[in-house]
């Protein structure tokens, strides 16, 4: 079973170049910024750069142009291996836009399952009208829900016939890897009226003293939920 994710209404705009060749400016830099060297393979020619959250500048990347979108993704027109430096602060607010209507959308095929779980948690629209909860309380309830009977699994589970993967995860298998947990969490938050996004990246933890760098492998890929 394979998953395909896309960002709707994604609009890429030009990133201004810096003063030196290969320099690009994504935001204001600071003396407190951390500098990091990244080596990445721009496979498939999509040119999406691997960047830490809070990146303000990219240097030593001699490409003709660069664009970024409202979700913080940065792309270049390049293929093959690339090594570049970045300046970033993990706590810096990024250029991601505020929530839009898209961040509250739920696929029609999953609406019934989302409503079922929200009602079970006391978070349906009617229940909230009768007994309102704060956004913090709603978020904690949804997080606790996944800690009870769900389990993490790397097995590729086959959904029941005619049942969407997320609905099957919530109502039947209650087991899956990060994609299942992150997407289900985002949809439950949206159903409870809180804007949320599904995000993917890498969990870097393997440091190589020889190169003095972190090694990020395909198996380090991870998915999580961004909640506003």
């Amino acid at each position: 079973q394979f998953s395909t994710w896309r960002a709707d209404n994604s609009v890429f705009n030009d990133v201004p170049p810096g003063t030196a060749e290969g320099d690009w400016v994504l935001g204001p830099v600071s003396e407190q910024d951390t500098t990091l060297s990244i080596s990445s393979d721009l496979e498939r020619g999509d040119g999406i750069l691997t960047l830490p959250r809070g990146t303000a500048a990219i240097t030593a990347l001699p490409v003709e142009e660069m664009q970024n979108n409202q979700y913080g993704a940065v792309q270049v027109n390049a293929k093959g291996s690339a090594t570049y430096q970045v300046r970033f602060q993990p706590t810096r607010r990024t250029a991601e836009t505020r929530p839009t209507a898209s961040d509250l959308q739920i696929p029609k095929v999953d609406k019934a399952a989302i409503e079922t779980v929200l009602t079970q948690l006391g978070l349906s629209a009617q229940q909230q009208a009768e007994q309102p909860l704060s956004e913090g309380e709603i978020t904690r309830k949804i997080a606790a829900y996944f800690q009870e009977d769900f389990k993490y699994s790397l097995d590729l589970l086959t959904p029941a016939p005619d049942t969407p993967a997320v609905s099957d995860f919530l109502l039947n298998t209650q087991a899956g890897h990060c994609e299942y947990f992150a997407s289900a969490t985002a949809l439950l938050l949206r159903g409870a009226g809180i804007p949320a996004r599904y995000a993917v990246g890498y969990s870097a933890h393997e440091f190589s003293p020889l190169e003095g760098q972190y090694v990020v492998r395909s198996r380090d890929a991870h998915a999580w939920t961004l909640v506003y």
Side-chain angles (χ1 to χ4, degrees):
Q1 179 184 351
F2 297 93
S3 300
T4 299
W5 300 90
R6 71 174 187 271
D8 291 333
N9 305 315
S10 176
V11 179
F12 279 88
N13 296 299
D14 291 335
V15 173
T19 54
E21 183 180 358
D23 290 359
W24 302 90
V25 181
L26 295 172
V29 298
S30 167
E31 292 182 356
Q32 285 73 43
D33 285 348
T34 298
T35 301
L36 182 69
S37 178
I38 298 177
S39 296
S40 181
D41 183 13
L42 304 177
E43 57 182 341
R44 299 188 304 275
D46 55 16
I48 300 297
L49 296 182
T50 298
L51 298 172
R53 186 172 179 86
T55 296
I58 301 172
T59 61
L61 185 59
V63 294
E64 293 185 359
E65 57 184 24
M66 180 182 294
Q67 296 86 27
N68 64 347
N69 68 4
Q70 69 268 39
Y71 301 114
V74 178
Q75 69 176 9
V76 294
N77 184 17
K79 294 182 181 180
S81 299
T83 299
Y84 47 93
Q85 284 73 48
V86 300
R87 295 185 62 174
F88 74 103
Q89 285 187 46
T91 58
R92 176 187 283 130
R93 292 184 64 87
T94 64
E96 294 174 6
T97 59
R98 290 175 178 270
T100 66
S102 297
D103 299 309
L104 286 170
Q105 288 182 352
I106 298 174
K108 292 180 180 179
V109 293
D110 290 311
K111 281 189 175 181
I114 296 300
E115 281 299 321
T116 296
V117 174
L118 289 176
T119 300
Q120 177 184 336
L121 297 177
L123 299 177
S124 68
Q126 181 177 345
Q127 290 167 322
Q128 290 237 59
E130 297 172 354
Q131 189 175 0
L133 296 177
S134 70
E135 291 179 338
E137 290 172 320
I138 293 171
T139 303
R140 285 190 289 273
K141 266 199 166 190
I142 292 175
Y145 167 68
F146 289 111
Q147 298 295 323
E148 295 175 0
D149 299 320
F150 286 76
K151 67 177 182 179
Y152 187 89
S153 173
L154 292 176
D155 294 334
L156 294 178
L157 305 173
T158 302
D162 302 322
T163 304
V166 172
S167 297
D168 191 62
F169 169 70
L170 287 171
L171 303 180
N172 301 318
T173 64
Q174 294 190 326
H177 47 73
C178 55
E179 284 187 322
Y180 290 87
F181 282 92
S183 53
T185 299
L187 295 185
L188 286 172
L189 287 166
R190 291 179 178 188
I194 302 178
R197 292 173 181 170
Y198 171 89
V200 295
Y202 294 87
S203 176
H205 57 86
E206 180 185 347
F207 184 78
S208 172
L210 181 62
E211 290 89 0
Q213 299 186 63
Y214 279 93
V215 178
V216 182
R217 306 182 188 277
S218 296
R219 63 171 177 264
D220 297 325
H222 191 49
W224 60 90
T225 304
L226 300 177
V227 55
Y228 188 77

